[in-house]
Amino acid sequence: MTRVDIISGFLGAGKTTFIKKLISEVYQGEKIVLIENEFGEIGIDSRFMQHSGVEVTEMNSGCICCTLVGDFARSLKQVVDEFTPDRVIIEPSGVGKLSEVADAVMAVKDDCDIEISSRITVVDGSKIRMYIKNFNEFYSNQIEHASTLVVSRTQNMEEKKLKECVDILQEHNHDAAIITTPWDKLERGAVIDALNHGRNLEEELIHEHHEHQHDHDHDHHHADEIFTSWGIQTVHKFERSELEDILKMFSITDDFGQVLRAKGIVEGANGKWMEFDMVPDEIEIRECEPDYTGRICVIGTELNEEYLSQVLGK
């Protein structure tokens, strides 16, 4: 039987980094397939994972468990049949509901001979209050339906702020194991212990499956009703300082709408290529290998696509 891990996390929480740790350290020696569901018009995230030797199936058409139920079931069955993996890691869109992703897996459980091993949600502790306030329906769902909660960037948090974050998480989910130790200090055994603790929740979570099916179509929003994405391919060569200024503007002005995530890969004016990630008040730009063309994706609410095109679509 193939084990399935569902690893969710709101935009920019650090899912990809945690998945890399699981693949390279915790699940070392297992045959793993990663299935990604990107919310966005330009597929970018899979490029970061391909160097790990993991087979990536990209699905770019919205929410994994709404518009993609048919494709998702087919993809999952195909993955299990063709690759006979020990484990499938499903990385849903950052704005997907964990309960619905789990329902989609449960719906094909018997056909695919799989079991859900863990539901992991990666949480950016420094932004938890903002996201709960602004996106409660989606953000709380990811927290409440996790068997293990992983707090990212804790090495940059004061103890008081970290405790506040843990208190909020426990208010929403008092049973899940919560990982707060910085990931670079975490040994394999500690992660396995946390996942095993969380695994005890799976029986309870499975019983919720039918309830979610009944509620699914009533009084709930889908991600594509709330969030929008804008994406382009570009041959523009950016100065690093130019790119940095644009990304900073996303956080300090609402001229672009409310930008929750920007990511991409572009060529620099000096001929070197850059990957970038942006979430509110946090920017990362790093050199990388050239890609076949420049690509940029912006995700948020009420995006001003005309202004984005003026600034980025050069």
Side-chain angles (χ1 to χ4, degrees):
M1 181 173 286
T2 300
R3 296 181 292 278
V4 175
D5 288 345
I6 306 170
I7 306 182
S8 66
F10 208 65
L11 299 164
K15 280 184 302 179
T16 300
T17 304
F18 189 71
I19 288 171
K20 285 180 179 177
K21 183 175 182 68
L22 288 179
I23 291 170
S24 63
E25 298 176 29
V26 180
Y27 297 149
Q28 194 172 22
E30 293 188 20
K31 187 177 182 182
I32 296 171
V33 171
L34 171 68
I35 297 181
E36 284 189 339
N37 167 232
E38 290 191 34
F39 183 93
E41 298 176 7
I42 303 292
I44 292 170
D45 285 345
S46 64
R47 184 184 183 282
F48 301 152
M49 300 300 300
Q50 284 167 348
H51 301 298
S52 65
V54 175
E55 186 73 27
V56 176
T57 302
E58 269 189 15
M59 298 181 286
N60 281 36
S61 313
C63 177
I64 194 171
C65 39
C66 303
T67 61
L68 282 185
V69 168
D71 288 347
F72 172 71
R74 220 170 20 248
S75 295
L76 186 55
K77 187 162 183 11
Q78 181 181 345
V79 159
V80 173
D81 289 347
E82 288 189 14
F83 299 105
T84 58
D86 300 311
R87 186 179 304 272
V88 173
I89 295 177
I90 299 174
E91 181 186 4
S93 156
V95 294
K97 292 181 180 177
L98 177 53
S99 62
E100 294 179 351
V101 179
D103 282 349
V105 175
M106 291 295 296
V108 296
K109 179 177 180 292
D110 294 334
D111 289 341
C112 297
D113 192 27
I114 57 176
E115 64 174 7
I116 298 180
S117 178
S118 60
R119 310 179 195 203
I120 302 167
T121 294
V122 182
V123 176
D124 184 341
S126 64
K127 298 180 173 64
I128 187 169
R129 286 189 184 278
M130 177 183 73
Y131 286 157
I132 284 181
K133 178 183 176 183
N134 293 336
F135 307 104
N136 194 345
E137 180 182 346
F138 292 91
Y139 197 63
S140 296
N141 183 282
Q142 292 188 3
I143 295 170
E144 290 165 3
H145 293 88
S147 55
T148 302
L149 293 162
V150 182
V151 185
S152 65
R153 303 180 176 91
T154 56
Q155 68 273 20
N156 302 321
M157 296 179 68
E158 296 176 0
E159 184 178 334
K160 180 182 177 184
K161 291 291 185 185
L162 181 56
K163 185 180 185 307
E164 288 176 3
C165 171
V166 171
D167 288 344
I168 292 171
L169 292 175
Q170 289 180 330
E171 284 174 19
H172 285 77
N173 185 337
H174 56 82
D175 293 320
I178 302 177
I179 295 177
T180 58
T181 303
W183 302 348
D184 59 347
K185 296 181 179 178
L186 271 179
E187 296 293 332
R188 176 176 182 270
V191 178
I192 290 174
D193 285 347
L195 297 180
N196 284 339
H197 173 86
R199 217 160 270 146
N200 296 331
L201 285 180
E202 273 309 314
E203 286 301 317
E204 297 173 33
L205 292 168
I206 286 169
H207 290 311
E208 296 174 9
H209 169 62
H210 298 295
E211 295 174 25
H212 292 310
Q213 282 187 314
H214 290 307
D215 295 340
H216 183 74
D217 294 322
H218 303 288
D219 303 322
H220 290 291
H221 293 102
H222 292 157
D224 51 10
E225 296 174 20
I226 306 296
F227 305 97
T228 54
S229 71
W230 173 89
I232 58 164
Q233 293 190 355
T234 180
V235 296
H236 178 66
K237 297 181 180 180
F238 287 83
E239 294 282 357
R240 186 186 180 98
S241 59
E242 172 194 14
L243 181 60
E244 196 169 331
D245 287 344
I246 293 170
L247 297 176
K248 284 179 179 175
M249 285 170 63
F250 288 164
S251 290
I252 63 179
T253 176
D254 57 5
D255 292 347
F256 299 92
Q258 185 170 12
V259 176
L260 296 169
R261 179 86 190 275
K263 55 187 176 179
I265 177 168
V266 294
E267 186 175 0
N270 60 0
K272 296 182 178 179
W273 283 70
M274 298 177 285
E275 289 173 341
F276 66 86
D277 279 289
M278 171 266 165
V279 293
D281 302 318
E282 193 171 323
I283 295 167
E284 184 180 358
I285 302 173
R286 54 197 176 271
E287 285 191 9
C288 65
E289 296 296 318
D291 206 349
Y292 62 84
T293 191
R295 291 176 286 163
I296 298 172
C297 180
V298 179
I299 301 172
T301 59
E302 300 178 352
L303 293 181
N304 185 335
E305 296 188 7
E306 185 178 345
Y307 193 33
L308 284 168
S309 295
Q310 287 177 19
V311 174
L312 287 168
K314 301 175 181 181

